[in-house]
Amino acid sequence: MTFFPNLKTIFAAVATVSLIGVGAVHAADEFDLGPEQPGRVHAAKDEAAIAAIPKDFKFVTPGTFTVAVAPSGPPLATYATDAKTVVGADPDYASAIADALGLKLELVPVAWIDWPLGLTSGKYDAVISNVGVTEQRKEKFDFSTYRQGLHGFFVKTDSKITGIKEPKDAAGLRIIVGAGTNQERILLKWSDEDVKAGLKPIELQYYDDDAASLLALQSDRAEVIVQPHAQLVYIAARDKNIKRVGTLSAGWPDRSDVAIATRKGSGLAAALTLATNGLIKDGSYARILDHWHLAEEALPKSETNPPGLPKF
């Protein structure tokens, strides 16, 4: 996670130096961000998945699975210590899918906002970059799910809060959330439910950047921080001063999944779904998630074009 220097107080700046300097060492103990990746999970060929690739499907490069990924931050995808190799859970999953399909892997780093145009124009075969399934996206792309879309509830390690699973658990709490995010939308609904039940509303707090948010949590101005689960898993390992007390589906009250995106009607999605289910069955999938501390995001099975987040 990148920290930005535009903090509002000297104290926040000092805290940022501490978080980066000491925390990076802690994270290195649990997450290998080196370019070699000796712990990468490899998979066997999946003949059923290979047979499901349409005969007329043309890969960008023959014999290669070309995948776009946005190096937005660990543990999902980030630049390694050599500043050029992309590593993380999504690259490892892409590698395993390529293995299953009997193909080489070519990762193409992109800005996350650019993946739809690049995929539509045929620059890559697929996108594996924490793309959530939505009904609007399904109009233009096909999807093969591979992780649950989760947000995390995290608190200070010495917090007396032990669990947040439903709206009543968050009643009256001071919770940091990003403005305009899906988690903000859900927590506003939670707060409304709490008020209707005669409980205190949730107090949402907003900060300019991650460093300011974490400082607010540590200084007890807030009690809980809510962000995409994977981001907070990494921060918890890096800083050793926050812990998870719950998760929240991005599609609350329903499940919302993250998926491989492919061009609409290309026919590749069915093969990718089969390959993912093969990885789930043989245990490769679980090993990848465990390696990056994301076991909570595991799916029981992959699906092609499941219900996605509705249009709001």
Side-chain angles (χ1 to χ4, degrees), residues 114-188:
D114 293 336
W115 72 258
L117 180 60
L119 183 57
T120 301
S121 63
K123 289 184 178 179
Y124 21 85
D125 304 310
V127 177
I128 300 180
S129 195
N130 202 40
V131 178
V133 181
T134 70
E135 290 304 308
Q136 185 171 7
R137 288 174 183 159
K138 282 166 60 180
E139 294 174 1
K140 295 183 178 180
F141 306 101
D142 286 327
F143 292 97
S144 300
T145 59
Y146 68 97
R147 273 199 348 261
Q148 292 187 59
L150 292 182
H151 304 305
F153 291 102
F154 280 65
V155 299
K156 287 174 61 177
T157 51
D158 61 355
S159 173
K160 295 181 179 179
I161 299 170
T162 58
I164 299 177
K165 296 181 179 179
E166 54 186 323
K168 67 181 181 63
D169 299 331
L173 295 180
R174 291 166 289 145
I175 300 180
I176 298 168
V177 69
T181 61
N182 189 44
Q183 54 265 35
E184 179 197 31
R185 177 185 62 80
I186 295 171
L187 289 175
L188 287 172

Side-chain angles (χ1 to χ4, degrees), residues 67-73 76-79 86-87 90-91 108-115 127-130:
V67 176
V69 60
S72 55
L76 294 181
T78 189
Y79 283 107
V86 182
V87 299
D90 280 346
V108 180
V110 299
W112 200 88
I113 197 172
D114 293 336
W115 72 258
V127 177
I128 300 180
S129 195
N130 202 40

Side-chain angles (χ1 to χ4, degrees), residues 9-40:
T9 68
I10 295 175
F11 296 107
V14 172
T16 302
V17 172
S18 175
L19 288 171
I20 294 175
V22 177
V25 176
H26 288 155
D29 294 338
E30 299 188 40
F31 293 93
D32 175 16
L33 300 183
E36 295 82 8
Q37 293 296 297
R40 175 166 286 170

Side-chain angles (χ1 to χ4, degrees), residues 41-44 46 92-100 272-288:
V41 174
H42 293 283
D46 186 329
D92 277 11
Y93 171 69
S95 175
I97 289 291
D99 288 343
L272 298 175
T273 299
L274 279 173
T276 300
N277 281 323
L279 297 175
I280 292 173
K281 184 177 180 180
D282 71 14
S284 301
Y285 172 80
R287 291 196 297 275
I288 292 170

